[in-house]
Amino acid sequence: MTEPSTQPAPIDAGTENKNMGRRSFIRTSAMGAAAVAATAATAAVVGHANHVPQVQAAAASSPVMEDSGAGFHAEMGTMQMLSAATLSPKLVTCAVGQMGLNSDMVAALAPVLGKLFGPGFTGPFAMLMFAEEVTSYDIDRSAKTITAKGNMRSITKIAGLTIDDAMTQFLAIGTDNKAKGTPDTFFLSYKTPFWNTATNPLATPSQFVSGFSQFGGELIMGQVNVAS
């Protein structure tokens, strides 16, 4: 098994990827979102008709995570797909995707579709980033921010094909905004051969590191918690 690249590679071999614009991704995402919304709406109607009790929020006395974060964000950088992120002294992650097939689903789709897609198929777009090393984890309690640095592996697949698998330095910043009454935020800055703002129009420029790309934004679900 080859090791992930640590240096930017020529993009010539990926000219086909460069032709995939934001519109095609957004259109695909919208189709998936519409299907999920329809499913959710149906479930809500059925649940109401059957008087299914609502799940109560966790009690205020329940333990909470401290000096860490986890949640969902979505913005143009993720083509409005939900992106899951975690922030802790041991592990920083960010993952984006719509669907996937495991071995059980492949067997259920056999013989035609199962053979066509195969196990591990990740849909039109999927990206997974996880820290292999967190070298620093700084907490500013007055500003309510967490800043993590280290080395991260980034894997990107389009139409089930791996187009990027590389190591990158990263900067992750989480902000606890609960005292302000605004959503908490998470931002991850990185750079790989594919996620390069100089050559890839899909890459969102980092607002924290010049020349790096960025994922992140307001947390739609979850939280960043900085202890007082």
Side-chain angles (χ1 to χ4, degrees):
M1 177 177 179
T2 58
E3 292 296 324
S5 169
T6 59
Q7 299 294 329
I11 306 299
D12 295 341
T15 52
E16 184 175 346
N17 296 326
K18 292 166 60 178
N19 294 328
M20 304 184 69
R22 291 179 182 266
R23 289 186 178 180
S24 61
F25 277 116
I26 294 173
R27 183 166 54 251
T28 302
S29 301
M31 293 173 62
V36 172
T39 302
T42 301
V45 171
V46 172
H48 179 74
N50 294 330
H51 304 288
V52 176
Q54 298 296 312
V55 177
Q56 298 298 316
S61 59
S62 298
V64 297
M65 59 185 181
E66 290 188 352
D67 299 336
S68 56
F72 275 134
H73 62 85
E75 80 287 339
M76 281 297 295
T78 66
M79 311 306 160
Q80 299 308 135
M81 291 184 285
L82 286 175
S83 176
T86 61
L87 180 62
S88 75
K90 296 294 185 180
L91 183 64
V92 178
T93 68
C94 189
V96 188
Q98 288 179 293
M99 61 163 290
L101 295 179
N102 59 12
S103 299
D104 291 339
M105 183 55 68
V106 169
L109 294 174
V112 180
L113 293 180
K115 291 182 178 179
L116 176 63
F117 294 115
F121 180 70
T122 52
F125 176 80
M127 182 174 183
L128 172 63
M129 294 178 284
F130 55 93
E132 293 200 347
E133 180 184 29
V134 179
T135 57
S136 67
Y137 196 82
D138 299 320
I139 301 171
D140 187 330
R141 302 202 183 281
S142 60
K144 292 291 185 178
T145 61
I146 301 172
T147 302
K149 297 179 182 179
N151 298 301
M152 174 173 281
R153 184 176 179 182
S154 175
I155 306 170
T156 303
K157 289 188 175 184
I158 292 180
L161 300 177
T162 300
I163 63 168
D164 198 36
D165 188 345
M167 293 296 297
T168 173
Q169 292 183 332
F170 75 88
L171 170 69
I173 299 177
T175 304
D176 181 345
N177 291 319
K178 285 180 281 296
K180 301 177 183 178
T182 59
D184 297 341
T185 60
F186 171 87
F187 290 97
L188 179 66
S189 299
Y190 60 98
K191 183 179 181 180
T192 71
F194 181 75
W195 295 105
N196 185 331
T197 57
T199 55
N200 186 350
L202 299 177
T204 300
S206 169
Q207 59 184 294
F208 302 99
V209 184
S210 177
F212 273 37
S213 300
Q214 169 184 294
F215 270 2
E218 296 181 349
L219 294 185
I220 297 174
M221 297 171 61
Q223 66 176 330
V224 174
N225 187 54
V226 177
S228 301

